[in-house]
């Protein structure tokens, strides 16, 4: 059954070879969309596309400049309906004078690339038609992460980007973000191992999240069913903010 009603719509998914990206590709493709996965890892992209099935294409890119972001959209070959921006990096922040590179990477990968992708999307979408943009925020933006200050700042900046774009691009394009807690993916493997049981103890549900649990919300936000949701940062954290 076509659950999300996305027949013929092109959706670009960055970070497409990651755990959440693969699950998004599966759901969006099953909903009828042409899914264009973007990621810097060619081998992982090929595996992700195979796992997703359906109408899935790929593009290898670091998304490290406005031109690279524009090329990512152009490589899809069609005017985009949607952008799902999952690309990001999470690093411990030593918070020392000689480790400014951590800050630079956090801002570039988690925030600037989001802005650049939004600009590229706006320049390539079909005017007058509806569209969707979904970004990846984090509960760290509101709660703060003592070991990842730069990451928390970058994600907080993303909140401002989403709310600004939601006003700027209305009524045609709806702009929202998901804010995951700790989801079991490659990115969080080291963090989960280091924190042990304290990771699950911090959630009301007493367990970690799975990639598909985030992907279902993203797919819904791309669908017609989300037609009155705009400018929202929606938590997917198992009730972490309640603890």
């Amino acid at each position: 059954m076509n659950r999300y009603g996305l027949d013929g719509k092109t959706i670009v998914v960055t970070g497409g070879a990651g755990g959440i990206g693969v699950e998004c590709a599966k759901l969006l493709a099953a909903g009828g969309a042409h899914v264009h996965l973007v990621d810097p890892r060619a081998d992982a992209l090929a595996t992700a596309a195979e796992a997703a099935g359906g109408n899935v294409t790929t593009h290898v890119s670091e998304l490290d400049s406005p031109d690279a972001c524009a090329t990512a959209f152009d490589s899809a070959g069609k005017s985009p309906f949607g952008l799902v921006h999952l690309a990001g990096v999470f690093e411990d922040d030593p918070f020392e004078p000689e480790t400014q590179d951590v800050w630079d990477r956090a801002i570039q990968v988690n925030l600037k690339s989001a802005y650049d992708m939004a600009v590229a999307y706006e320049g390539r979408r079909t005017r007058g038609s509806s569209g969707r943009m979904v970004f990846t925020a984090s509960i760290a933006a509101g709660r703060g992460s003592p070991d990842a200050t730069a990451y928390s700042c970058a994600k907080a900046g993303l909140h401002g980007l989403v709310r600004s774009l939601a006003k700027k691009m209305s009524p045609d394009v709806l702009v929202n973000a998901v804010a995951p807690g700790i989801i079991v993916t490659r990115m969080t493997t080291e963090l989960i191992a280091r924190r042990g049981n304290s990771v699950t103890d911090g959630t009301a549900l007493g367990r970690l999240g799975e990639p598909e649990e985030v992907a279902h919300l993203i797919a819904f936000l791309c669908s017609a069913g989300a037609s009155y949701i705009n400018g929202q940062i929606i938590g997917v954290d198992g009730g972490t903010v309640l603890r």
Side-chain angles (χ1 to χ4, degrees), residues 101-187:
D101 58 321
V102 174
W103 170 271
D104 293 340
R105 280 192 297 274
I107 298 301
Q108 168 61 46
V109 180
N110 297 310
L111 183 56
K112 187 177 185 299
S113 70
Y115 178 86
D116 290 342
M117 287 296 289
V119 171
Y121 170 85
E122 174 65 359
R124 285 156 178 78
R125 71 180 181 89
T126 301
R127 290 294 180 272
S129 63
S130 65
R132 300 285 192 274
M133 287 199 287
V134 183
F135 294 92
T136 314
S138 169
I139 60 171
R143 292 166 59 89
S145 175
D147 298 325
T149 302
Y151 176 83
S152 299
C153 290
K155 290 300 186 179
L158 193 67
H159 286 202
L161 177 67
V162 166
R163 287 167 177 150
S164 176
L165 291 177
K167 294 179 179 180
K168 184 179 184 64
M169 302 184 73
S170 292
D172 292 341
V173 179
L174 305 182
V175 185
N176 295 287
V178 296
I182 299 178
I183 308 299
V184 181
T185 65
R186 181 179 61 88
M187 181 182 289

Side-chain angles (χ1 to χ4, degrees), residues 51-86:
N55 185 10
V56 179
T57 55
T58 63
H59 175 69
V60 178
S61 178
E62 296 276 357
L63 301 178
D64 53 0
S65 70
D67 285 346
C69 292
T71 299
F73 276 106
D74 292 339
S75 66
K78 298 178 181 178
S79 179
F81 164 79
L83 165 65
V84 175
H85 189 59
L86 301 171

